[in-house]
Amino acid sequence: MAPIPGSGLAKGLAVTLRTMTKKTVTAQYPDAQPELPPRTRGVIGLFEENCTVCMLCARECPDWCIYIDSHKETVPPAAPGGRERSRNVLDRFAIDFSLCMYCGICIEVCPFDALFWSPEFEYAETDIHELTHERDKLREWMWTVPAPPALDPGAEEPKEIAAARKTADKLAAEQAAQAEQAAQAAQAAQAEQGGQPTRTEQGGQPEPPATPPSGPQEGQS
């Protein structure tokens, strides 16, 4: 059956009329923040504790926008008679987001889960050089990375959360030890300023005060 002349135009006008009768919804950005899905490719965060400086992300990046500097350190043997070993120490990790095309290859190839997507997107700069985020800035983006959903109610805790909690517990323990040492030093200083303790402080009974005799004194009539 041959199409009716002008049917395509009629369909287009019908769509236009239906759209014109609907209420317009405008997102009042930036007063109203958009609701983005958790897997939005906004910015890349670095979890430095997991990075082993394997350089896979920098080699696989098609834009060559990842810059990594490192050096080797010798680690003493863990047990007597053991062999020394060397490990890579991260000196610099930077991503130039003015070159990044947000393909996510660096996150996919990282074998130790050191890079993560964050849905944050408000990091525009007036100077293009400020779009090169060093590792301190990349570390700050980690706080905006959404937690991965558990596969089932009995699933293990995500590795990145467990590592972050372990680091926080270690810092809290160090701060508590420093506070305890400071308190002991303050108590020792107060004891030195107070001088020698009395018999009461040593646990003995206090001596009774001397009282004059109530009877007549010798030589008195």
Side-chain angles (χ1 to χ4, degrees), residues 67-80:
Y67 313 109
I68 301 176
D69 294 331
S70 66
H71 69 277
K72 289 186 178 293
E73 287 185 356
T74 302
V75 181

Side-chain angles (χ1 to χ4, degrees), residues 82-102:
R83 295 179 56 185
E84 295 182 348
R85 59 187 181 90
S86 62
R87 66 183 180 93
N88 293 324
V89 179
L90 183 65
D91 293 329
R92 185 195 183 201
F93 194 109
I95 299 178
D96 188 354
F97 286 102
S98 65
L99 299 177
C100 179
M101 65 180 186
Y102 303 89

Side-chain angles (χ1 to χ4, degrees), residues 6-220:
S7 59
L9 178 61
K11 291 180 180 179
L13 292 175
V15 173
T16 302
L17 292 174
R18 286 198 303 268
T19 305
M20 290 175 61
T21 56
K22 292 181 180 179
K23 183 180 179 180
T24 303
V25 179
T26 303
Q28 301 298 326
Y29 178 83
D31 297 332
Q33 293 292 328
E35 295 182 2
L36 302 175
R39 298 181 65 183
T40 298
R41 298 186 177 189
V43 70
I44 298 174
L46 170 66
F47 192 66
E48 188 175 336
E49 285 76 4
N50 287 357
C51 182
T52 61
V53 201
C54 64
M55 307 293 289
L56 277 177
C57 55
R59 288 199 297 263
E60 297 296 332
C61 178
D63 291 334
W64 291 82
C65 64
I66 300 177
Y67 313 109
I68 301 176
D69 294 331
S70 66
H71 69 277
K72 289 186 178 293
E73 287 185 356
T74 302
V75 181
R83 295 179 56 185
E84 295 182 348
R85 59 187 181 90
S86 62
R87 66 183 180 93
N88 293 324
V89 179
L90 183 65
D91 293 329
R92 185 195 183 201
F93 194 109
I95 299 178
D96 188 354
F97 286 102
S98 65
L99 299 177
C100 179
M101 65 180 186
Y102 303 89
C103 62
I105 292 178
C106 57
I107 298 176
E108 296 295 331
V109 301
C110 180
F112 301 103
D113 293 333
L115 298 174
F116 297 88
W117 277 120
S118 167
E120 294 293 327
F121 62 93
E122 295 179 319
Y123 53 94
E125 301 288 349
T126 56
D127 187 359
I128 193 172
H129 297 92
E130 298 296 330
L131 288 175
T132 301
H133 293 185
E134 299 292 337
R135 65 177 183 175
D136 293 337
K137 183 67 174 179
L138 297 175
R139 178 63 181 265
E140 293 178 2
W141 292 124
M142 279 300 302
W143 298 108
T144 63
V145 174
L151 300 179
D152 56 74
E156 296 181 357
E157 187 179 39
K159 293 184 295 183
E160 57 271 15
I161 297 179
R165 181 176 289 108
K166 183 178 179 181
T167 303
D169 294 342
K170 183 178 179 180
L171 292 176
E174 292 177 354
Q175 292 176 357
Q178 293 176 359
E180 184 178 358
Q181 292 177 359
Q184 292 177 356
Q187 291 178 358
Q190 290 178 359
E192 292 178 358
Q193 293 176 0
Q196 298 296 330
T198 61
R199 290 187 59 186
T200 305
E201 295 175 350
Q202 295 177 354
Q205 297 294 331
E207 296 182 358
T211 57
S214 58
Q217 302 292 331
E218 295 181 1
Q220 295 180 0

